[in-house]
Amino acid sequence: MLISIFNLLVFPGIIFLGVAGMSAEFIDRKLYARMQNRTGPPWFQPWADFIKLVSKEDVVPTEANPRMFRAMPIFALTSTITASFYIPLWSTHALYSFNGDLIVTIYLLTIPTLTYFLGGWYSTSLYSKIGAIRSLTQLFAYEVPLLMCILAPALLANTWSLSEMAKFYSHHHWYWMFNLLGFAISLIALLGKLEKVPFDIPEAETEIVGGTFTEYSGRLLAMFKLSINIETIVGASLVSAVYLPFGLQLTPALGILLYVGKLLFIISILSLSRTIFARFRMDQMVEFCWKIVSPLAFLQMLICLILKGVLAI
Amino acid sequence: MIRPGKMLVQVLQSLFKKSATSQYPFKKSEMPAHYRGKINFHPELCIGCKMCERDCPSNAIKIVKVGDKKFEAQFDLAKCIYCAQCVDSCIKKALESTKEFELAVLDKNKLKVTFCADVKKDTDK
Amino acid sequence: MRKVVIPIGPQHPALKEPESFSVTLSGERIMAFSARLGYNHRGIEKACEERTYLQDVYLIERICGICSHTHSTCFVQAVEEIAGLQVPKRALYIRSIIGELERIHSHLLWLGVAGHEVGFDTLLMYTWRDREVVMDILAELTGNRVNYGINLIGGVKRDLEKQHITDILKSVDILEERTKYYIQVCKEESTLIQRLSGVGVLSHNDALSLGAVGPTARASDVARDTRADDPYAAYDELDFKIVTDDHNDVYGRTLVRLGELMESYRLIRTAIKNLPEGLISVKAPRKIPVGEAFSRYEAPRGEDVHYVKSNGTDKPERVKVRAPTLANVQTVAKMLEDGQLADLPIVIAAIDPCFSCTDRLISVNSSKSETLGSMKWEDLRLYGIEWHRSKGMDFSAINKKLAERL
């Protein structure tokens, strides 16, 4: 019981993920700034922003549905934290695992996007509504390739459990190399999921002000921001667990170092793509995802199926 | 060749370059030699022709007679647009623009600056 | 799908100045677009009538924060024409050099803003970093980064020294190299091209019939540039070539501006090479003789027009300013026909709007007739008194007291 509470609140629960998420935001912003030849924020900037937001008043628009409006940030936060429990971080064991947790994790990671939609929709502002529709449209564009390309390694490992997959790839050392195409696709999908440039269409500030979050302020906005930060960590962990499953049997100290290294690698790729691309338009993004990324995800699946036959796993 | 990520190389190079941001409040920035900043007044040169007062586009300067051939200048720095027309209008070069540009204050009254003529010295004579 | 009308402005992140646009959307598609000008009316033209010509130069310079040299030169040219002043050659060359430096800083600024509007902030950071070079050189030449205050009726205030010339040439070299890089980026970066090409199309004929000016017109292959058509300052001796493009879209406008940057570097080099010796100003009379003049100037955004009428005193009778944005803003509705919401910021930004410069006109809706029309000054005053009274503020007693005291 005590251990469960510790797991839930401290490790790998809210506190650990919160700290990691804030650090991820700092690293992302710092790299982004350095790549643009700027100085960038000091290390405590995300914390300062968070504390400032928390200390501010929550404004709920009179037209909005107050219950939905207040509930959505909490849903977003809880679902991202819950998703982290099923992902093996630096060993082959996740906190909880069962056959099928892969699907559960992916669906738990879809819930934040749905809460952005509902939160935006129920705040009834025009900008929020347009942002809400955009985030849902975007969901349909990136979710299919993401699901397909994450299923491919699972097919090869012949299991639906993330922990089992980690075990499989630890036994067959170099098999993860077959999934590099899927790794690239999952990074693209992750950019879409985290709504970052070039896929920050739902919150494109020059078009629709703050997008879904236009009406959010104070603690509620802080919670949304925190959930996005945590989603970054959880998403990167998922990608590293599925596509970079090496060095999982090291000692815990080395394992943690390697895990942090993998996260840093993924986060820096995300900030790099944020730096060098212009924002897509909605139609361009949907077209890109359906016409290029999805067929590639299919190809990854095909590769895995053929390999399965050839290697007779 | 049309391709995505054209700026990749420069962006990565920037990672290892010194940032272009100027560290302003910590490192004072130097203005060029003929910068048009706060106006300085030399009372001993002024002959009270009031050309500066007449030409000022924003009525920021006022020349007041305080004694025999003694004049003082009252500036309203909040009104001044730092065009330095008064400097050009002054035939005796009693006005000059300085490099001083950090003029923001919290108290609005501090923006009213008076350059006093040295009246006391005059009476001593 | 149900149509929604969304307001863009007066306060909106895409707009750097307050201006109200209302967009009727069906999904992401723009069905109708209307603009409402007038949030920035400052009464500058009227204020000019109450100041002397000398003071007006500084006031006119503050019409626009970006093209301040444009407006002051345009005004000064008109006054010089009325007064019949022969401005020294050297002064004209210095005006042209400052004008081209200003164009460089304006176009680099635009490129950054365009990058920001399509979510390409890296371009914004890089161009604005490089723009500092030209801002610093302008500060060194004129004494300020904006509102240079170098123009004088009858010439310029400050001369170019040897040190200045080497500094200008050095920074032009740096900027030319950077601009070449930006041209490469704009021609090769596919995500940027996707957002710019085919967006905000203005055909050649539309550009002509709507009276577009500046890079907006030149990107629709209209070879129209005041520097070539009606050379002022030293442009008739500088061998100026008009930069045009036939893409007709935002991409074309980007290329035209980048091409003009390269042309500006060349012009500055030629002007410095041919810089004549001599005086930099002639003495201008305080009272300008009766007359009127019309002056044109190619601002970074397009053709700027000033009209000045004098009545023999030291204050002008009438000053009229037509900023380039007023000519271009009509084209936006045409460009946005059948466009997408996502393209709206970049299409508006592509005319390089400067709304504060544009707002000159007041149109008041009469609440009685419910139609758009003008209101007499007396009606407006009565309306104001009524309005305040309805809010519980009655000034009639104070007014009476004031009248008694007078």
Side-chain angles (χ1 to χ4, degrees), chain A residues 3-276:
Chain A
I3 288 176
S4 298
I5 288 174
F6 177 80
N7 283 337
L8 214 60
L9 289 180
V10 183
F11 187 86
I14 298 170
I15 292 179
F16 166 74
L17 284 172
V19 171
M22 291 293 190
S23 318
E25 190 194 333
F26 163 69
I27 290 164
D28 175 51
R29 281 169 69 173
K30 189 78 182 173
L31 276 175
Y32 186 53
R34 292 297 300 130
M35 284 189 277
Q36 292 176 344
N37 208 351
R38 293 186 287 128
T39 306
W43 66 269
F44 54 82
Q45 193 63 52
W47 293 98
D49 290 350
F50 183 73
I51 292 166
K52 190 186 119 184
L53 274 181
V54 167
S55 63
K56 293 230 168 180
E57 181 193 9
D58 290 338
V59 181
V60 182
T62 35
E63 299 272 307
N65 180 333
R67 208 169 296 160
M68 289 299 271
F69 192 78
R70 285 181 189 282
M72 282 310 130
I74 301 169
F75 270 94
L77 199 56
T78 31
S79 60
T80 41
I81 291 172
T82 316
S84 74
F85 296 157
Y86 297 102
I87 302 171
L89 302 178
W90 51 80
S91 61
T92 51
H93 293 284
L95 198 57
Y96 303 103
S97 86
F98 60 91
N99 198 8
D101 58 13
L102 177 66
I103 305 294
V104 171
T105 312
I106 289 173
Y107 274 91
L108 280 171
L109 282 178
T110 309
I111 289 177
T113 317
L114 290 174
T115 63
Y116 304 157
F117 166 72
L118 288 172
W121 187 259
Y122 279 106
S123 58
T124 61
S125 149
L126 283 169
Y127 300 124
S128 301
K129 276 189 173 176
I130 292 172
I133 295 168
R134 282 182 174 192
S135 69
L136 211 57
T137 318
Q138 188 161 310
L139 178 79
F140 287 117
Y142 69 75
E143 199 66 13
V144 172
L146 179 68
L147 197 61
M148 283 198 301
C149 74
I150 283 188
L151 283 187
L155 277 174
L156 194 62
N158 217 359
T159 171
W160 293 95
S161 158
L162 282 163
S163 302
E164 293 296 317
M165 269 169 76
K167 270 178 209 141
F168 172 82
Y169 284 102
S170 305
H171 285 301
H172 303 80
H173 279 302
W174 298 108
Y175 278 21
W176 61 272
M177 299 279 246
F178 298 130
N179 301 326
L180 282 179
L181 179 64
F183 179 56
I185 295 164
S186 69
L187 284 179
I188 293 171
L190 198 60
L191 274 174
K193 205 175 216 8
L194 298 171
E195 298 184 355
K196 290 200 169 167
V197 178
F199 302 132
D200 67 333
I201 311 158
E203 41 190 309
E205 67 153 21
T206 47
E207 295 154 29
I208 47 171
V209 192
T212 31
F213 306 133
T214 309
E215 299 298 331
Y216 275 94
S217 58
R219 273 187 301 263
L220 300 173
L221 182 62
M223 235 185 277
F224 262 140
K225 294 271 174 213
L226 185 66
S227 81
I228 292 175
N229 285 344
I230 292 179
E231 204 184 346
T232 315
I233 290 290
V234 176
S237 300
L238 178 70
V239 170
S240 84
V242 173
Y243 292 103
L244 307 172
F246 49 85
L248 294 176
Q249 281 157 331
L250 295 168
T251 55
L254 276 175
I256 288 172
L257 269 180
L258 191 66
Y259 166 68
V260 171
K262 286 176 194 168
L263 283 194
L264 279 179
F265 176 64
I266 292 169
I267 288 168
S268 41
I269 289 182
L270 294 185
S271 8
L272 181 67
S273 59
R274 189 154 94 92
T275 318
I276 56 171

Side-chain angles (χ1 to χ4, degrees), chain B residues 18-68:
Chain B
K18 208 172 147 282
S19 74
T21 321
S22 69
Q23 307 291 329
Y24 165 60
F26 309 109
K27 224 177 102 190
K28 291 284 171 230
S29 53
E30 184 64 19
M31 290 295 120
H34 298 293
Y35 185 73
R36 301 198 311 266
K38 189 182 171 182
I39 308 289
N40 197 11
F41 179 66
H42 300 290
E44 67 278 5
L45 293 174
C46 182
I47 54 164
C49 67
K50 299 198 176 181
M51 284 302 278
C52 48
E53 210 180 304
R54 213 176 103 186
D55 282 348
C56 180
S58 55
N59 298 326
I61 181 168
K62 212 174 166 195
I63 303 289
V64 182
K65 194 170 181 177
V66 288
D68 185 33

Side-chain angles (χ1 to χ4, degrees), chain A residues 32 35-38 126-127 130 133-134 197 205-209 275-284, chain C residues 5 7 12-14 28 116-122 125-126 129 189 191 194-195 199 340 342-343 345:
Chain A
Y32 186 53
M35 284 189 277
Q36 292 176 344
N37 208 351
R38 293 186 287 128
L126 283 169
Y127 300 124
I130 292 172
I133 295 168
R134 282 182 174 192
V197 178
E205 67 153 21
T206 47
E207 295 154 29
I208 47 171
V209 192
T275 318
I276 56 171
F277 296 128
R279 182 190 304 132
F280 277 69
R281 215 163 46 205
M282 199 72 239
D283 55 329
Q284 288 167 351
Chain C
V5 181
H12 191 278
E28 287 272 318
H116 176 66
E117 304 285 14
V118 295
F120 196 14
D121 279 354
T122 310
M125 298 297 171
Y126 275 48
R129 177 196 68 192
E189 167 64 45
T191 53
Q194 270 186 11
R195 285 305 303 273
V199 168
Q340 299 222 16
D343 294 332

Side-chain angles (χ1 to χ4, degrees), chain C residues 30 64 97 153 184 193 232 251 303 320 332 345 352 397 399:
Chain C
I30 294 170
C64 183
I97 291 169
I153 296 168
Q184 266 183 18
I193 294 171
Y232 53 90
Y251 184 56
E303 187 190 21
K320 168 80 189 122
V332 173
D352 203 357
N399 280 341

Side-chain angles (χ1 to χ4, degrees), chain C residues 77 81 224-233 235-236 240 242 294-298 303-305:
Chain C
Q77 279 174 6
E81 197 180 317
R224 190 185 278 169
D225 193 316
T226 319
R227 287 174 287 176
D229 303 341
D230 182 12
Y232 53 90
Y235 286 107
D236 47 347
F240 170 72
I242 302 178
F294 191 74
S295 158
R296 300 163 76 191
Y297 185 103
E298 185 70 23
E303 187 190 21
D304 182 29
V305 174

Side-chain angles (χ1 to χ4, degrees), chain A residues 35 275-276, chain B residues 3 5-14 17, chain C residues 108 111 120 122-123 126-127 129-130 173-189 192 258 261-262 265:
Chain A
M35 284 189 277
T275 318
I276 56 171
Chain B
R3 63 184 173 86
K6 168 72 195 168
M7 287 184 94
L8 182 69
V9 179
Q10 283 235 337
V11 151
L12 289 178
Q13 279 169 356
S14 291
K17 259 197 260 172
Chain C
L108 281 175
L111 189 61
F120 196 14
T122 310
L123 192 64
Y126 275 48
T127 48
R129 177 196 68 192
D130 298 333
D173 286 342
I174 299 171
L175 287 167
E176 186 169 28
E177 196 196 315
R178 292 302 303 166
T179 309
K180 276 180 187 155
Y181 177 69
Y182 295 130
I183 292 176
Q184 266 183 18
V185 168
C186 289
K187 282 188 173 167
E188 292 176 22
E189 167 64 45
L192 190 64
L258 284 164
L261 279 174
M262 298 306 282
Y265 303 137

